[in-house]
Amino acid sequence: MLSVTFLGTSAARPTVERNVSAMALVREGETLLFECGEGTQRQMMRYGVSFALSEIFFTHFHADHFLGVIGLIRTLGLQARAEPMREPMRLYGPKGAKKLLGQAIQLGVERVPFNVDIIEVKPGEVIRDAGGGRREAYEIHVFGTEHGGGSVGYALREHERRGRFDVDKARAAGIPEGPLWGKLTKGETVQLPDGRTVGPGGIVGGNRPGRLVVFTGDTRPCAAVVDAAQGADLLIHEATFGEEEKERAKETGHSTAREAAQVALAAKARRLVLSHVSARYSISAEELVKEAREIFKETTVAKDGMTIEVPFAD
Ligand SMILES: [Zn+2]
Ligand SMILES: [Zn+2]
């Protein structure tokens, strides 16, 4: 299972309807947080996102993307006093992360009773290691975005899956059901009771792609996002403005809904979700959806509390 839940979808400041940026990604029971705007911990409670998380990924350090970490770390600290086995918290972000997040986690007189590691990442890096060792089934790729100050985005890329085991072909080849089927599925060559050896070719299909979820954070439309999102199952792209404010988007390092749709189209993504919308679209973002769908049909605008499942393409 892989899904994302939007915890905050407003640009720059919260509104009555929308909080500032944060998104939880849940994969096979593991929760990762992307951005942590002010008030994120309360949004997590409201929308049922687990506090048992150990990693937060930041795209840049505008206040609407990270101030929530101050309070969230305090709450996790209170929990850790009750269950002292908590693994360290890891905060990832571009250059400046050590200074800014370092200050954020020191605010307040109470001591945080667990380790917090702050890891600065650069475009092109691949985050393979997690707390308990290596990530088993996926990697997180860091890519550059155009928002100034060395901003980055993140792509969660699952490893390829094994091919499908064809039961009919296995039976036709006279391979008895049982452990031999399991070995063939793993790509091993097996010896049958009658002495023949059989390999997986012809019985087990080719490897199948894993899923790709891409999170841009704030950015102008750019080639690095198109590259990172090639064939993405889900592209989450900011769309702060509509067409009538496209000049403002350019001036402020943001994208219009239409520009985000062009990126999704160029990347041949399966699905586009727009987030980080300006306060004027807080109640209704229909205009943004309409403008984007003229370019890329599979577009949705995120709302706080919205959960989107990401199925395998096959
Ligand atoms: Zn922002
Ligand atoms: Zn920003």
Side-chain angles (χ1 to χ4, degrees):
M1 201 210 77
L2 172 56
S3 69
V4 299
T5 297
F6 292 87
L7 299 168
T9 56
S10 183
R13 62 183 174 87
T15 65
V16 171
E17 300 79 22
R18 297 174 184 265
N19 200 39
V20 284
S21 291
M23 186 194 86
L25 185 152
V26 181
R27 187 188 170 283
E28 306 292 343
E30 180 190 24
T31 303
L32 307 176
L33 194 60
F34 291 83
E35 320 279 49
C36 189
E38 178 191 349
T40 293
Q41 57 170 328
R42 196 139 180 274
Q43 297 290 82
M44 291 167 67
M45 293 171 199
R46 177 175 284 161
Y47 301 122
V49 169
S50 170
F51 277 66
L53 61 89
S54 300
E55 293 181 295
I56 310 178
F57 300 83
F58 296 91
T59 64
H60 66 299
F61 296 107
H62 282 152
D64 59 318
H65 293 255
F66 83 100
L67 289 185
V69 76
I70 300 168
L72 176 59
I73 293 270
R74 259 62 209 174
T75 300
L76 294 174
L78 293 174
Q79 282 181 354
R81 230 161 276 158
E83 335 150 22
M85 287 302 287
R86 190 174 214 299
E87 55 177 307
M89 187 82 195
R90 283 173 308 283
L91 310 177
Y92 300 89
K95 193 168 163 20
K98 286 209 154 101
K99 181 168 171 251
L100 282 156
L101 294 174
Q103 289 168 344
I105 61 173
Q106 275 167 24
L107 275 177
V109 293
E110 57 283 83
R111 218 181 65 81
V112 177
F114 52 83
N115 288 334
V116 180
D117 298 335
I118 302 170
I119 301 132
E120 291 195 351
V121 294
K122 285 196 206 73
E125 264 178 45
V126 182
I127 305 169
R128 293 195 176 87
D129 291 327
R134 221 170 158 78
R135 285 173 215 281
E136 289 277 301
Y138 69 91
E139 296 169 341
I140 293 178
H141 294 246
V142 184
F143 56 91
T145 55
E146 287 181 23
H147 188 59
S151 61
V152 298
Y154 297 95
L156 183 145
R157 185 182 288 278
E158 290 181 331
H159 298 161
E160 284 189 326
R161 293 170 295 152
R162 290 191 188 115
R164 276 212 175 80
F165 186 86
D166 192 323
V167 171
D168 292 340
K169 283 184 182 157
R171 290 217 166 95
I175 303 161
E177 190 170 342
L180 293 180
W181 285 22
K183 286 186 175 170
L184 283 166
T185 306
K186 285 183 198 150
E188 294 172 29
T189 296
V190 298
Q191 185 158 33
L192 304 189
D194 64 13
R196 284 183 295 146
T197 54
V198 180
I203 292 166
V204 180
N207 281 355
R208 295 171 292 164
R211 290 165 292 195
L212 174 62
V213 177
V214 176
F215 182 78
T216 66
D218 294 4
T219 187
R220 287 289 299 146
C222 65
V225 175
V226 175
D227 289 346
Q230 278 304 310
D233 296 275
L234 175 62
L235 169 61
I236 300 141
H237 200 295
E238 76 122 291
T240 310
F241 299 112
E243 271 310 284
E244 57 179 312
E245 287 183 285
K246 66 178 175 196
E247 285 309 313
R248 205 171 149 209
K250 208 181 272 177
E251 285 158 22
T252 55
H254 289 294
S255 302
T256 66
R258 191 185 163 88
E259 287 168 336
Q262 281 160 340
V263 170
L265 184 72
K268 298 189 175 68
R270 303 187 95 80
R271 186 164 188 191
L272 170 66
V273 176
L274 305 176
S275 190
H276 195 273
V277 302
S278 157
R280 67 183 289 183
Y281 304 107
S282 185
I283 294 173
S284 171
E286 271 314 300
E287 201 180 317
L288 299 182
V289 180
K290 195 168 150 280
E291 288 174 1
R293 281 192 186 155
E294 282 167 15
I295 307 284
F296 189 83
K297 206 166 155 293
E298 293 303 319
T299 306
T300 314
V301 174
K303 277 190 185 134
D304 288 19
M306 178 189 273
T307 293
I308 291 185
E309 305 279 341
V310 186
F312 284 108
D314 59 347

